[in-house]
Structures are given as structure tokens and as C-alpha cells.
Amino acid sequence: MPSSLALAPPSPTDPRGPSRRSVLSGVAALGLGIVGGGRLLEQAHAGAARGPVQVPRSFVSTDLTLPAMTVEKRGETAPGYLFLAPRGDGGKAGVVLDDSGQPVWIQPTDQTSITDVRLQQVGAEPMLTYWSGGSEDGHGEGTVSVVDSRLRAQPAVTPVGGDTIDLHETKVTDRGTMLTIAYTPARADLSSIGGPRDGWVYDTRVVERDLATSEPVLTWSPLEHLALEETYSTIADDVGTREKPFDVFHANAVEDRGDTLLICFRHTHSLVLIDRTTGEVQWRMGGRRSDFDIPEGVRFSWQHDARWVDEQTLSLFDNHASEGSDPPRSRGLVLTVDQEEMTVRPRGVYQVGGITSNAEGSTQVLAGGNVVVGWGSVGRVHEFDPEGTPVLSVEMPDTHTYRAYRQEWTSRPGTKPDVGVRAEEGGTRAYVSWNGATEVTSWRVHTGASADSLAPGSSFERTGFESSVLVSPHGWLAIEALDADGRRLGMSDPVQASAG
């Protein structure tokens, strides 16, 4: 298998572009390991390389569970945590993960799917947002949850007046709105593309909603502005009816900048810039009617997650792996865009071995030059350093994650730490965790003959999502969370020390 070429994106202070090219020979197969204690956590935060570790899947102190995931850190990563939403045969949950392979926050769901877990600025505070709901045939209907830094639920963004909110987009703007997509069945003459004259399509509308009320403040229909003949998707014999509308455009990302919206259409292989006031198309990039000169080497297809990095730079995930893709070559792309000369040039190309992803995926350019690529339906994530070398990988064997993000986050939950006990030779082992708490560095045990006579005792280091300590099997205990300065963050409820 040939090596993959990665062009490092230019640093913010170097307008000349990449200083050199890095050749990637692919990623070694990931193995399994067990997460160690505090020493391993310190090593991970220091940026040292280590072997692959398996993310813990279940715990004693809480009923929370995780799909199988393996993390391998090979070099210096950017600050922050990974925000993922694995879902599939192996399970589903929203997850914030650290570089040592330890979860920081786990959000279970009883819905069919959960997607797009990320931090966004909502008013004056960064908040967690994520979509959850039912999904089938590549789209869904659900709601967007909003959670503050104490993990308290804020008003959700919900469908209004019979409309729907699809799983693909949940972007918060600085206008106090959220950009969403609605898959809306609509009549259309499909005879020009091989379908029925009296046919039906999904009009994948962009709907901008007021965050406070969920009411639409803008709705834009591709069916009113784009031609059906722009699609690269083909109509099966049983599709194009009211029961099975044809997904002619398949919008999957919306990005706002000033008075424009950039919309990513998977099935037309194009990015479309529209005027958010008039709705008129300003240009198309890619596809059958491209207004841009795009070099062969970075022409994209079936793409996802188109984002402005700055006024002259776009990032996207190029799936390039569905019907008609020859050769298949999924990759993260960072492109330099000249909207006056209407040209596109490569700034960064991120590939690993022969990974190809039929659907989903994301590319995130970080402030320090690192790039996070989520491989979507393949169930893998890689972070690259500014030279294009993979420095971290996540593998999810029985699940996939629609997008992957690295973001810095601080949270002190309004809940209490959770404690569980198990008998073992020599005493009782107490286990403690605090879902979503990012500031805990150690724990202090409080013991006593009764629940209301507890006194503080020794402390022990936090070693991951769940830490443990051996205690006397008699009396009661509670466990206190401490920050790096030894200050109290929270206290669990008392439990009996005897494990029965």
C-alpha cells in the first residue's frame, strides 16, 4: 500500500504556507492495554508517547457504560479533551475523553442515535450541546440538548409547529441562534434524473432557530435554488415516492460568516455559499456547476463538515468513497480559497494508510496547528501535529462517531460524586467517580461509626474516571473530591463500608 502524503497547514504567523512535506506510512495496528494510575496520567498530559490503552467500559461506583474504544498517544497533542458520540452495535453514548484513555464525561441516551457532542458559546458561557433522536436512511428527527458547566440542562432546541431537526447540524451562531437542517418531503418532477414525473424528494432545508424559543428565523430551500441535475446520487426503483422520498441534495453542514451561509451538500459534491438575506446563491465550489478552479488532487466528493478556518481557508472531510469514487481516498482537507480569482489550492491533506469512510466524518483545525480528523463510519479518530504526523489515534471497533472535536473544557457538576464498595481480601475496596468533573486531582476518605459521625482521614490520588482505595469493612464512609490546591469540590453521600 503506498504511503499517504500530508501537507502541514501553515502556522498562523507564517503566511507563506507549509515549510515542508511529511510522508505518512500509515498507522500501526492498535492493540489493547489497561489504563494505569496517576503516573500514566501525568505522562499523557506531558505529551510523551505510550502504547495503546483500552478505555474502561464499566465501573463499580456508577451504572454508566461505554462502547469499546482504544486510545494510543504517540506525541504532543493540543490542549483539551476529545468530544465524541460513538454509536452502533457496540453501544452509544456522548463521551468526553482524555488522552490517557479515560472518560471524563459520559452521557447515556435511550434514543436511537446521539451525534455532534461539542462545546459551543451560548450567551456568555460555553455549553455542551448534542443531538439525540431517531434516525434511519442517513437522516433523523430529534432535539438538541444544551448543558451548562455544572451539567444542568438548559432549554433544549426542539422542533416547532410540526417541523423536524435532523442529526447533521447543531451550529450555534453569535446571533443567539442555532443552524439546523430539516429533511422535509416535497413533490418534484424527477423525470430528468431517471425518476417518476410525479415524484417526491427530501428538501434538505437549512433552518436557523432562535435559541431561546426554537422558532425559525430563517429557512432556506435548496429545491428552490439548485437544479435536480446537480446530484450524483442515483434513484433506485422503489425511491422517489411519498413513502420513500429521494435524497437529492443531502445537506450535512451549515456554517455562517457575516451575511452568508456556507452549506455542504454531500450528494452534489459541492459547497454552496448563499446570501442569508436574499437566499441567492453566490457561488458553488465543486460538483457539476463549480465556479472554482479546483486542482485534480484536491477535488472532493460525498464530503462532510465544511468549515471556515479564516476568511481564506476552508476545512472539510472528503469521503471520496461512495459510488463512482475512483480511487477511494478519504482524507481531511484544508484548502486555501481565493474568492476573487475563484481558485482553490491545497494547504493540508491528511490521510492514514488506506482508511476510507463511506459516510460521516470531520476535520478540525486547531489554533496551534494540530488537526483532528474523525473518520466517521469507520469508527476512528486521528490527531495530526503541524508537520502532518499522527500523534493520537482512537479506534472504536463496533461503533462510529459522526464528528470528533478537541476542545478545552472545565466543569464542576452540580451532582455529588458516586461511591460503590466491593469486598476483597484484607478489607473493603471503595470506588469513587464523579461524572463530568474536570478539576478533581485527589480524593479524601471520611469514615465513622455512623453516617452522621464521619471524620476526615487519608487522601489518595485520582487515577482516572474511577479511582479506588482499600478501607476498613466496618462503619460508614463518604469520599470528598479535592482540587490541585486541596480545596473541597464536592462530597459523596455516605455509604456503608461493608460490601456484604
Side-chain angles (χ1 to χ4, degrees), residues 220 225 257 259-261 271-285 291-292 339 342:
W220 186 86
H225 295 88
R257 178 175 288 274
D259 294 325
T260 64
L261 294 176
L271 314 181
V272 177
L273 190 76
I274 68 166
D275 185 299
R276 68 188 304 152
T277 301
T278 67
E280 294 303 310
V281 172
Q282 295 192 355
W283 49 249
R284 293 167 173 82
M285 181 187 298
D291 296 303
F292 283 83
Q339 296 185 65
M342 302 304 283

Side-chain angles (χ1 to χ4, degrees), residues 30-33 40 43 48-54 70-74:
L30 295 176
L32 297 180
L40 177 58
Q43 180 189 51
R50 57 178 175 78
V53 295
Q54 185 176 358
T70 303
V71 177
E72 183 169 9
K73 185 181 175 82
R74 300 181 181 87

